């Protein structure tokens, strides 16, 4: 393979962080085998039972403090640093592992577990500790509206215009560690393919969208991603 690619867009999902110790969603003992989406990951759930939703994210936030990027995150940061063209990483993950590995050009399309959002005034603040229902917003002073800054089902993911613009211009699209179940992210491969990009899935097993990819490399992210990046950088 020659790396005559100019503009690379990478989509990542929970499978990328699995070997850092964070649970995925749809694997056999994944998050959705323990919780129902309707109870913890929709605006209606937050309105109905804010304590349950805040507890769900407080638990996941506590797991994000000491977690470290793995060899796959590091390989993607190296690709961004050494590729002569442009690299944009779009992650569905709300963990901070891409940043901790050094990736800079990064979009958290589903938000970030270490940020809070005030439902009353829209202020975003860094959050390390637990969010509680009676926590007052540092900007507007109101309580009862502090939520994790994550995109729930039925809510619009962040920076979609910027993402679609990049997909429309890319010549290489990599989808890493995602089952291809959740839209609009699961449709990105079609957008990139329509723009003429070469599309590659790097995942433990074939995703829901496997038939839409030009190429697939199946295996653990810490093995297949560094190997693929080395080939791209002709190491
Ligand atoms: C939207 C953030 C419209 C919070 C997440 C009915 C009502 C409302 C909407 C819908 C509906 N029906 C369908 C929809 C659309 C809906 C959707 O797609 N639903 C699905 C379930 C059918 N989408 C939405 O609601 C989106 N918004 O449509 O808005 C709109 C339009 C206009 C105006 C306003 C609104 C919003 C979706 C975002 C929801 N938030 N997360 C949080 O994290 O708690 S989604 C959640 O799923 C995470 O972000 C996660 O990243 C994402 C996708 O999951 P994956 O990352 O793929 O993880 P998964 O476990 O599934 O797969 C892991 C993969 O890794 C597996 O394939 C596995 O084999 C592999 N793997 C495992 N280990 C390894 C590995 N690979 C390599 N190495 C390993 N070691």
């Amino acid at each position: 393979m020659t790396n005559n690619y100019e503009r690379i867009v990478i989509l990542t999902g929970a499978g990328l962080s699995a070997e850092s110790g964070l649970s995925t969603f749809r694997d056999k003992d994944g998050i959705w085998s323990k919780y129902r989406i309707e109870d913890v990951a929709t605006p209606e759930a937050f309105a109905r039972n804010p304590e349950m939703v805040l507890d769900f994210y407080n638990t996941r936030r506590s797991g994000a403090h000491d977690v470290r990027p793995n060899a796959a995150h590091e390989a993607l940061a190296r690709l961004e640093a050494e590729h002569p063209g442009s690299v944009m990483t779009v992650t569905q993950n709300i963990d901070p592992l891409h940043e901790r590995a050094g990736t800079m050009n990064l979009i958290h399309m589903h938000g970030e577990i270490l940020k809070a959002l005030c439902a009353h005034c829209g202020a975003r603040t860094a959050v390390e500790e637990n969010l509680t229902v009676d926590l007052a917003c540092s900007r507007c002073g109101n309580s009862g509206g502090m939520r994790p800054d994550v995109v729930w089902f039925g809510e619009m993911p962040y920076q979609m215009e910027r993402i679609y613009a990049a997909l429309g211009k890319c010549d290489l699209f990599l989808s890493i560690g995602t089952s291809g179940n959740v839209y609009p992210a699961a449709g990105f491969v079609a957008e990139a393919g329509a723009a003429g990009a070469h599309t590659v899935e790097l995942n433990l097993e074939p995703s829901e969208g496997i038939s839409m990819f030009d190429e697939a490399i199946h295996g653990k992210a810490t093995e297949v991603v560094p190997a693929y990046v080395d080939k791209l950088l002709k190491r």
Side-chain angles (χ1 to χ4, degrees), residues 14 19 25-26 57 60 92 110 151 154-155 178-179 183 203 221:
E19 291 164 87
F25 290 86
R26 293 171 185 81
Y57 287 99
R60 289 177 62 197
Q92 299 172 89
H110 290 164
V151 177
E155 295 185 322
T178 180
S179 65
Y183 288 83
N203 203 53

Side-chain angles (χ1 to χ4, degrees), residues 53 138 144 175 186:
V53 173
S138 55
S175 177

Side-chain angles (χ1 to χ4, degrees), residues 42-92:
T42 67
E44 295 77 12
F46 185 62
R48 185 174 56 243
N49 189 340
E51 290 84 358
M52 175 186 268
V53 173
L54 294 180
D55 277 354
F56 172 64
Y57 287 99
N58 289 341
T59 305
R60 289 177 62 197
R61 187 176 306 103
S62 62
H65 290 311
D66 304 330
V67 74
R68 303 301 312 149
N70 60 51
H73 294 102
E74 285 158 3
L76 295 179
R78 187 170 72 234
L79 177 61
E80 180 189 84
E82 297 178 15
H83 175 61
S86 67
V87 178
M88 172 188 277
T89 302
V90 180
T91 187
Q92 299 172 89

Side-chain angles (χ1 to χ4, degrees), residues 72-189:
H73 294 102
E74 285 158 3
L76 295 179
R78 187 170 72 234
L79 177 61
E80 180 189 84
E82 297 178 15
H83 175 61
S86 67
V87 178
M88 172 188 277
T89 302
V90 180
T91 187
Q92 299 172 89
N93 300 339
I94 61 177
D95 66 52
L97 291 174
H98 277 300
E99 299 88 323
R100 289 182 184 168
T103 289
M104 313 280 277
N105 189 16
L106 175 66
I107 295 178
H108 276 278
M109 65 177 291
H110 290 164
E112 298 174 66
I113 191 70
L114 295 181
K115 284 195 180 144
L117 170 66
C118 173
H120 298 303
C121 74
R124 283 185 170 79
T125 48
V127 59
E128 297 279 330
E129 303 314 317
N130 286 350
L131 290 179
T132 57
V133 175
D134 54 6
L135 181 68
C137 168
S138 55
R139 165 90 72 81
C140 70
N142 292 315
S143 57
M146 293 303 281
R147 58 173 277 184
D149 185 18
V150 300
V151 177
W152 285 324
F153 287 93
E155 295 185 322
M156 180 56 89
Y158 292 154
Q159 303 202 48
M160 291 304 291
E161 277 187 30
R162 204 171 139 219
I163 296 170
Y164 281 121
L167 290 169
K169 292 202 296 275
C170 74
D171 50 13
L172 180 63
F173 175 76
L174 309 180
S175 177
I176 303 175
T178 180
S179 65
N181 271 290
V182 174
Y183 288 83
F188 289 173
V189 55

